[in-house]
C-alpha cells in the first residue's frame, strides 16, 4: 500500500449517540443525526462476490431480517449466497440470503418481472429460451448499502431497498404486457416441501414457503402489496397451470398481470416466521408509504450510522474502501429474527416472544467467536446482550446452546460449542443485560450434554478417540477453548468446583500433544497415537481434523498460548516451530478441504482456525514477527476486487480480522479481553464508544515500509507492553505508536510485558 498520511476529517456524530430499545420491536435504534462523512461511499459490496468469498450482494439494512437481492441458478459451493460475480443469468430476486457461508440455503420468496406471454420455467444455465430468466451485465447493475439496481436484458429495470423486515421493489417495464413471477419452488440449494399463494385483493398477495436445506426446517410467511392494481393471479403447480387466485402445494408458482400495463410498478414484501398476519403487521409498522427514494435514503442513513463507529484517517482511497467494506460485511449478520410484536418461531417449531430483548439468528459461531464477536464488544456492545439472550433462548428450545443456528433450525455445523466462549467473553467484560446464572447453567449443561458429539468421551477419557469420531481432534480442541471460558467465568462468579473442573478440561489440548514430534496428533481409543501420521494431510469431512491438518491445529490453543509454549520447550523452540509453519511445504492430499486457502506455508488465512496464529509471537517475546506477518496478510489477502476476500467471508469473520488488525490489535483468547498488538494500518483511527467516549489509535511515521512498533504511549504515558486490555480501550483515551522500518526487538519482549491468558 502507499504511504499513509493523515487526512483531516470532520468530527463524527453517528456512533456517539445513545441507543434505546424500540417499544414496537426491540431492535436498537440510533438516536442520531446524519454523520458528516458518507461512509457508504467507501463501501463496495462486490468485494468478496467473486472467487470463494460468497458474500451477499443486494439491499438490506444492518442486521436486517430482509436481504433482498439477485439470485442466479444455484450451481454449487460458490453460489452459497445466491449470487456470484462470474454469472450472467438472473432467475429473480429473493428476500433471504446468507453472506459468506460455505453452505447454501434460503433464497426465499423469489420474484421475477418479465414481459410478453405468461410463462413460469426457470431454464438452465446454458439455455433460458422460453423461460422467465434473463441475461444481465454488471455494466447495467448498481449496488450500494441499502440499494440494488439492475437493468436486465429482458428490458425490465429492477430497484430494491429495504427496512428491517420489509423490502420495497420498483420495476420499470418497457412498453407491453407486464408480469411478475412469484416462484415459491425455487430457493438456494434447499427444497420446498409446502408452499401457499393467494390473491387477497387487487393490491395484495400473501403466502408462505416451508423448506428444508442446511437448516432442517425453515418457514417464511409473506405479504406483498402493490401500488398498482393486479388484474389477475394465475397459479401453477411447478410449471403446470392450476387455476387462478389461490393454490397450496409443494411447488407453487404464480404469475401476476397488472392492470393497464403500467410502466412503473412498486411492490412491498414483508416476511415473518410466524404468520401472514405478522408479516402484514411488520409492513404496517415499518413501511406504510410508497416513496422508494425515501426508503433508500433511510437505509443509507442506517448504514452510515453504523459505519461511523470507526473513523480512519488516510489518503489511501483503496485502503479506505477495503476497510469500510469489511465493516459493512460485519453488519449483515447476525440477522434479526422476530416480528415487530417480538414473536418468532423457535427450533422446536413453537412460537416464542421476545418481550424485553430482540431475537437474532444466523450465528456462524465457529467462525465468528474468534474475532467478530470480540469486535462487537468494542464497536457494538449495545447489541451483545440481545445476541446472548438469543442464544439462551435457543438453549431453551433445543436443550443445548446453539452450534450454527439458522432462522428456526440448528444446522449442527462445525465442531465445538462455540456460543460458550462468546457468552463467557461478554460476562468477563462486564456486559450486562442477560442473566449470568442462567447463562452459566446453559453453558455447563451444554458442555456436559451426552448427545453433544464426543462429549461423553471427553468426560470419560479426557480426549475424543480418532477411531471413534470423525474430526475428533478438532472437536476436542474446540471444546477446550469453550471449557476455558467456562472456567474463567466460574472463577469470577465464585464457583470454585466448576472452575477447577473446567480449568482442567481447558487443558485437555495437552492430551493430543506428541512431544516426540512437537505436533498435535490424533489419539486412538486405546491411548496410542494415530500411526502412520502425516501432519500435512487433510481429509475433508471424515478425517481427524475439521477443514485443516496437523500443522494448523498444532497452534490451535488460543486460550492458553503459554501452555503450548511450555509444551514445545520454551520461547526459542516455540518461535522456531512457529517460523516453520509459515514456510512449511507439503502435500495435503486429494481429499483436502477447499476451505484451506490463503496459504503462507501451512498458515491458512482463508480459514478460521489459523486466524489467531500470527498473533502468537508476542507470547514468546517476538512481537515484531507478528507485525511482519500481519502486514503481509493485509497486503496480499485483502483487496478491492470481487475476489478480494481470500476465503469464505463467513458472516463477517474474515472482515472482522481485517478490521481488528487494521486498528493494530487482536484478541487471541476469545474469552479474555487481552488485545495483542500487531501493526496498525492507518495513521489514525478513532473508535466511537458508549457514553460519548472515544479511543484514538495513532501511528506516527506509519507507511508501507514502517511496519514495526518502536515504542508506544497510553494516554501520554510510556507503554512497554505488547498488548492492551479491553478495559483500557473502553475507558476511552489515546494509544500512540511510533513506527519504524526495522524491528525493535526489545518492544514487548520482557516477560512482564507479554500478554497473559490468566
Amino acid at each position: 500500500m502507499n504511504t499513509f498520511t493523515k487526512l483531516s476529517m470532520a468530527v463524527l456524530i453517528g456512533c456517539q449517540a445513545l441507543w434505546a430499545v424500540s417499544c414496537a420491536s426491540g431492535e436498537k435504534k440510533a438516536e442520531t443525526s446524519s454523520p458528516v462523512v458518507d461512509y457508504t461511499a467507501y463501501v463496495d459490496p462486490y468485494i468478496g462476490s467473486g472467487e470463494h468469498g460468497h458474500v451477499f450482494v443486494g439491499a438490506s439494512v444492518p442486521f436486517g431480517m430482509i436481504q433482498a437481492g439477485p439470485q442466479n441458478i444455484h450451481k454449487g459451493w460458490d453460489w452459497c449466497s445466491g449470487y456470484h460475480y462470474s454469472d450472467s443469468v438472473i432467475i429473480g430476486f429473493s428476500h433471504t440470503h446468507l453472506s459468506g457461508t460455505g453452505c447454501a440455503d434460503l433464497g426465499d420468496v423469489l420474484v421475477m418481472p418479465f414481459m410478453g406471454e405468461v410463462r413460469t420455467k426457470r431454464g438452465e444455465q446454458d439455455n433460458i429460451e422460453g423461460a422467465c430468466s434473463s441475461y444481465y451485465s454488471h455494466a447495467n447493475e448498481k449496488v450500494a448499502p441499502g440499494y440494488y439496481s439492475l437493468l436486465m436484458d429482458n428490458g425490465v429495470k429492477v430497484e430494491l431497498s429495504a427496512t428491517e423486515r420489509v423490502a420495497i421493489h420498483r420495476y420499470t417495464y418497457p412498453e407491453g404486457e407486464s408480469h411478475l413471477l412469484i416462484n415459491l419452488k425455487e430457493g438456494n440449494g434447499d427444497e420446498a416441501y409446502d408452499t401457499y399463494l393467494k390473491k387477497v385483493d387487487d393490491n395484495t398477495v400473501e403466502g408462505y414457503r416451508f423448506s428444508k436445506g442446511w437448516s432442517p426446517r425453515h418457514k417464511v410467511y409473506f405479504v406483498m402489496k402493490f401500488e398498482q392494481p393486479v388484474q389477475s393471479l394465475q397459479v401453477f403447480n411447478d410449471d403446470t397451470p392450476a387455476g387462478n387466485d389461490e393454490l397450496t402445494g409443494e411447488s407453487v408458482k404464480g404469475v401476476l398481470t397488472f392492470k393497464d400495463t403500467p410502466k412503473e410498478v412498486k411492490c412491498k414484501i414483508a416476511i415473518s416466521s410466524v404468520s401472514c398476519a405478522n408479516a402484514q403487521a411488520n409492513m404496517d409498522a415499518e413501511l406504510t408509504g410508497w416513496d422508494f427514494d425515501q426508503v433508500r435514503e433511510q437505509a443509507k442513513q442506517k448504514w452510515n450510522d453504523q459505519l461511523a463507529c470507526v473513523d480512519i484517517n488516510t489518503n489511501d482511497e483503496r485502503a479506505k474502501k477495503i476497510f469500510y467494506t469489511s465493516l459493512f460485511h460485519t453488519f449483515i449478520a447476525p440477522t434479526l429474527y422476530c416480528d415487530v410484536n417480538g414473536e418468532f418461531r423457535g427450533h422446536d417449531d413453537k412460537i416464542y416472544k421476545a418481550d424485553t430483548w430482540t431475537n437474532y439468528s444466523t450465528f456462524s459461531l465457529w467462525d465468528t467467536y474468534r474475532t467478530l464477536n470480540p469486535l462487537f464488544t468494542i464497536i457494538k456492545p449495545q447489541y451483545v446482550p440481545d445476541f446472548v439472550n438469543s442464544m439462551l433462548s435457543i438453549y431453551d428450545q433445543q436443550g443445548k446452546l446453539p452450534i450454527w443456528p439458522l432462522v428456526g433450525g440448528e444446522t449442527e455445523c462445525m465442531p465445538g460449542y462455540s456460543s460458550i466462549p462468546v457468552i463467557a467473553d461478554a460476562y468477563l467484560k462486564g456486559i450486562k443485560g442477560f442473566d449470568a446464572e442462567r447463562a452459566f447453567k446453559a453453558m455447563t449443561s451444554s458442555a456436559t450434554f451426552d448427545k453433544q458429539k464426543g462429549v461423553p468421551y471427553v468426560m470419560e477419557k479426557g480426549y475424543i478417540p480418532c477411531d471413534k469420531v470423525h474430526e475428533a481432534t478438532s472437536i476436542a480442541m474446540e471444546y477446550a477453548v469453550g471449557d476455558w471460558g467456562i472456567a474463567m467465568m466460574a472463577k469470577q462468579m465464585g464457583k470454585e468446583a466448576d472452575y477447577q473442573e473446567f480449568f482442567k478440561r481447558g487443558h485437555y489440548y495437552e492430551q493430543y500433544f506428541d512431544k516426540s514430534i512437537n505436533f498435535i496428533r490424533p489419539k486412538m481409543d486405546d491411548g496410542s497415537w494415530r500411526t502412520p501420521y502425516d501432519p500435512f494431510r487433510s481429509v475433508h469431512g471424515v478425517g481427524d481434523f475439521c477443514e485443516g491438518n496437523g500443522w494448523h491445529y498444532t497452534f490451535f490453543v488460543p486460550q492458553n498460548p503459554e501452555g503450548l509454549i511450555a509444551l514445545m520447550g520454551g520461547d526459542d523452540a516455540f518461535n522456531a516451530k512457529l517460523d516453520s509453519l509459515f514456510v512449511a511445504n507439503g502435500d495435503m492430499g486429494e481429499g483436502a478441504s477447499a476451505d484451506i486457502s490463503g496459504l503462507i506455508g501451512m498458515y491458512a488465512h482463508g480459514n478460521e482456525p489459523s486466524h489467531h496464529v500470527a498473533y502468537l509471537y508476542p507470547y514468546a517475546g517476538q512481537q515484531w514477527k507478528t507485525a511482519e506477518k500481519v502486514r503481509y496478510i493485509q497486503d496480499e489477502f485483502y483487496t478491492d476486487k470481487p475476489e478480494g476476500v481470500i476465503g469464505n467471508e463467513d458472516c463477517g469473520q474474515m472482515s472482522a480480522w481485517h478490521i481488528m488488525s487494521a486498528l493494530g490489535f487482536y484478541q487471541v483468547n476469545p474469552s479474555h479481553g487481552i488485545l495483542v498488538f500487531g501493526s496498525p494500518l492507518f495513521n489514525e483511527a478513532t473508535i466511537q464508544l458508549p457514553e460519548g467516549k472515544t479511543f484514538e489509535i495513532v501511528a506516527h511515521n506509519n507507511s508501507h515500509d514502517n511496519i514495526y512498533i518502536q515504542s508506544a504511549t497510553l494516554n501520554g504515558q510510556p507503554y512497554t507492553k505488547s498488548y492492551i486490555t479491553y478495559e483500557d480501550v473502553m475507558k476511552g483515551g489515546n494509544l500512540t505508536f511510533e513506527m519504524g522500518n526495522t524491528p525493535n526487538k526489545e518492544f514487548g519482549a520482557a516477560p512482564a510485558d507479554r500478554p497473559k491468558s490468566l
Side-chain angles (χ1 to χ4, degrees):
M1 295 182 179
N2 297 326
T3 300
F4 296 105
T5 58
K6 180 176 177 181
L7 173 66
S8 297
M9 300 176 74
V11 176
L12 303 171
I13 300 170
C15 284
Q16 295 179 351
L18 298 174
W19 294 78
V21 176
S22 164
C23 295
S25 62
E27 63 264 25
K28 302 296 182 281
K29 303 292 184 182
E31 297 175 356
T32 178
S33 57
S34 299
V36 175
V37 179
D38 179 11
Y39 293 97
T40 67
Y42 305 124
V43 174
D44 181 358
Y46 283 134
I47 295 175
S49 65
E51 289 294 325
H52 309 310
H54 300 182
V55 301
F56 164 65
V57 174
S60 67
V61 297
F63 305 117
M65 181 187 295
I66 284 274
Q67 297 94 33
Q71 192 156 317
N72 306 135
I73 297 173
H74 181 73
K75 293 177 286 296
W77 192 49
D78 278 333
W79 280 262
C80 285
S81 75
Y83 175 97
H84 195 266
Y85 193 80
S86 64
D87 216 320
S88 59
V89 174
I90 193 85
I91 64 172
F93 304 86
S94 55
H95 294 79
T96 59
H97 291 83
L98 291 162
S99 185
T101 58
C103 292
D105 206 335
L106 309 185
D108 297 292
V109 194
L110 183 72
V111 298
M112 180 65 172
F114 66 98
M115 303 292 296
E117 64 182 23
V118 172
R119 55 196 188 274
T120 61
K121 291 183 178 180
R122 186 199 72 182
E124 300 300 329
Q125 188 71 24
D126 59 353
N127 183 11
I128 60 171
E129 184 178 355
C132 288
S133 302
S134 176
Y135 292 107
Y136 71 101
S137 167
H138 296 304
N140 297 320
E141 189 177 37
K142 294 180 181 178
V143 59
Y147 178 71
Y148 178 86
S149 171
L150 177 64
L151 174 59
M152 298 182 288
D153 288 8
N154 69 6
V156 183
K157 181 180 180 180
V158 176
E159 295 175 277
L160 309 174
S161 192
T163 66
E164 282 72 17
R165 301 172 179 87
V166 187
I168 186 167
H169 297 221
R170 181 164 64 188
Y171 310 134
T172 305
Y173 288 93
E175 294 296 328
E177 190 170 66
S178 51
H179 306 290
L180 182 70
L181 171 69
I182 305 172
N183 185 346
L184 302 181
K185 173 187 177 181
E186 195 83 25
N188 188 47
D190 68 348
E191 182 177 352
Y193 65 87
D194 188 13
T195 57
Y196 156 71
L197 188 63
K198 178 182 179 180
K199 179 184 174 186
V200 177
D201 57 43
D202 282 353
N203 296 87
T204 310
V205 172
E206 69 175 22
Y208 61 69
R209 182 176 190 266
F210 301 166
S211 63
K212 296 179 180 180
W214 187 21
S215 177
R217 179 182 51 252
H218 174 46
K219 295 184 176 181
V220 175
Y221 296 83
F222 65 89
V223 169
M224 297 184 182
K225 288 279 188 181
F226 297 90
E227 186 180 34
Q228 292 75 20
V230 173
Q231 177 175 298
S232 65
L233 169 63
Q234 300 175 61
V235 292
F236 298 78
N237 182 4
D238 198 351
D239 297 320
T240 303
N244 297 286
D245 294 341
E246 183 175 358
L247 186 64
T248 301
E250 288 187 5
S251 304
V252 172
K253 298 179 183 178
V255 175
L256 292 168
T257 300
F258 298 100
K259 292 182 179 178
D260 304 322
T261 59
K263 182 174 178 59
E264 182 178 279
V265 171
K266 292 178 186 174
C267 170
K268 296 184 293 188
I269 303 176
I271 64 173
S272 164
S273 65
V274 175
S275 65
C276 292
N278 272 24
Q280 182 64 63
N282 290 340
M283 186 181 295
D284 293 342
E286 292 187 359
L287 189 51
T288 56
W290 291 100
D291 190 334
F292 181 94
D293 293 326
Q294 181 183 56
V295 176
R296 175 186 176 184
E297 186 59 34
Q298 289 171 345
K300 177 181 177 180
Q301 180 63 53
K302 290 173 182 177
W303 279 110
N304 267 321
D305 290 341
Q306 296 286 14
L307 296 169
C309 63
V310 182
D311 170 34
I312 61 171
N313 289 334
T314 177
N315 65 353
D316 187 332
E317 293 298 310
R318 175 179 173 274
K320 193 180 297 184
K321 180 192 293 188
I322 295 168
F323 182 85
Y324 282 108
T325 302
S326 295
L327 200 56
F328 165 76
H329 283 150
T330 66
F331 301 147
I332 294 175
T335 54
L336 183 66
Y337 186 63
C338 64
D339 298 325
V340 291
N341 64 1
E343 291 182 344
F344 62 93
R345 188 174 299 275
H347 289 201
D348 54 3
D349 206 27
K350 297 177 181 177
I351 305 304
Y352 292 82
K353 188 170 185 178
D355 289 318
T356 59
W357 51 284
T358 303
N359 193 56
Y360 290 85
S361 188
T362 320
F363 290 101
S364 184
L365 289 163
W366 183 79
D367 307 291
T368 64
Y369 87 86
R370 308 162 196 270
T371 318
L372 179 65
N373 291 104
L375 176 65
F376 282 154
T377 67
I378 299 171
I379 65 172
K380 298 295 171 187
Q382 66 271 28
Y383 285 88
V384 174
D386 284 340
F387 295 161
V388 172
N389 283 318
S390 300
M391 296 175 199
L392 297 180
S393 177
I394 291 172
Y395 171 82
D396 294 339
Q397 298 159 33
Q398 66 182 24
K400 66 176 182 179
L401 285 167
I403 305 297
W404 211 121
L406 178 58
V407 288
E410 175 59 76
T411 69
E412 299 283 357
C413 192
M414 310 312 293
Y417 26 60
S418 301
S419 51
I420 287 177
V422 173
I423 298 170
D425 190 45
Y427 175 80
L428 293 167
K429 288 175 175 174
I431 293 176
K432 309 297 183 183
F434 62 93
D435 185 331
E437 289 291 344
R438 177 188 174 207
F440 188 79
K441 179 182 177 181
M443 293 160 72
T444 55
S445 176
S446 298
T448 56
F449 185 47
D450 61 3
K451 292 183 175 59
Q452 193 95 274
K453 186 183 292 186
V455 163
Y457 288 113
V458 172
M459 298 178 69
E460 175 191 352
K461 292 175 170 286
Y463 69 94
I464 304 175
C466 62
D467 50 343
K468 297 293 184 181
V469 179
H470 291 317
E471 300 181 339
T473 315
S474 294
I475 296 170
M477 299 282 282
E478 291 281 359
Y479 285 163
V481 176
D483 292 339
W484 188 280
I486 294 175
M488 296 303 104
M489 187 168 170
K491 186 176 183 65
Q492 191 156 313
M493 296 176 77
K495 300 178 184 292
E496 185 62 25
D498 290 313
Y499 166 71
Q500 294 294 341
E501 172 62 21
F502 284 97
F503 188 64
K504 178 180 70 175
R505 287 176 53 164
H507 283 84
Y508 278 170
Y509 66 88
E510 297 171 359
Q511 296 269 19
Y512 299 94
F513 192 80
D514 183 352
K515 291 187 177 181
S516 69
I517 59 173
N518 261 12
F519 275 102
I520 291 292
R521 185 171 183 176
K523 185 175 285 189
M524 308 287 281
D525 189 38
D526 63 5
S528 63
W529 295 117
R530 164 79 80 188
T531 304
Y533 173 55
D534 179 359
F536 284 97
R537 185 161 175 76
S538 170
V539 184
H540 186 64
V542 295
D544 294 324
F545 300 100
C546 177
E547 299 182 4
N549 60 20
W551 272 103
H552 303 141
Y553 280 91
T554 289
F555 295 95
F556 188 69
V557 190
Q559 75 276 23
N560 188 26
E562 306 98 300
L564 182 61
I565 292 168
L567 283 176
M568 288 191 178
D571 293 346
D572 291 342
F574 177 80
N575 285 326
K577 185 74 171 181
L578 190 51
D579 288 343
S580 69
L581 170 74
F582 289 95
V583 296
N585 184 23
D587 184 5
M588 290 188 289
E590 293 182 0
S593 172
D595 296 276
I596 303 173
S597 60
L599 289 172
I600 310 173
M602 272 295 109
Y603 172 87
H605 192 73
N607 208 28
E608 281 68 23
S610 289
H611 274 190
H612 69 288
V613 173
Y615 285 91
L616 292 178
Y617 283 110
Y619 289 85
Q622 293 190 338
Q623 190 280 330
W624 60 276
K625 287 186 178 178
T626 287
E628 289 179 342
K629 301 299 187 292
V630 167
R631 277 296 185 99
Y632 181 86
I633 293 166
Q634 299 275 48
D635 289 347
E636 295 297 317
F637 296 152
Y638 292 89
T639 75
D640 60 350
K641 306 300 181 184
E643 60 275 15
V645 177
I646 199 64
N648 296 167
E649 165 63 16
D650 285 317
C651 295
Q653 167 61 24
M654 197 69 66
S655 288
W657 190 97
H658 173 75
I659 293 163
M660 287 281 255
S661 296
L663 294 175
F665 46 59
Y666 186 87
Q667 184 171 315
V668 172
N669 184 335
S671 298
H672 191 45
I674 297 297
L675 303 169
V676 180
F677 292 157
S679 179
L681 199 57
F682 305 115
N683 280 357
E684 291 186 11
T686 302
I687 305 170
Q688 307 295 330
L689 302 173
E691 301 175 354
K693 298 176 182 177
T694 62
F695 188 77
E696 184 182 33
I697 302 157
V698 178
H700 289 156
N701 201 33
N702 197 13
S703 71
H704 177 79
D705 296 318
N706 294 349
I707 66 174
Y708 300 104
I709 298 172
Q710 306 298 300
S711 63
T713 61
L714 179 61
N715 299 323
Q717 299 301 311
Y719 193 81
T720 58
K721 301 181 187 301
S722 60
Y723 66 90
I724 189 171
T725 66
Y726 173 80
E727 289 77 12
D728 278 342
V729 170
M730 299 308 285
K731 289 175 187 174
N734 173 281
L735 175 65
T736 296
F737 296 108
E738 299 295 333
M739 307 298 291
N741 61 8
T742 58
N744 175 5
K745 296 182 180 181
E746 300 303 315
F747 179 77
D753 289 334
R754 302 177 189 181
K756 304 292 189 297
S757 298
L758 292 173

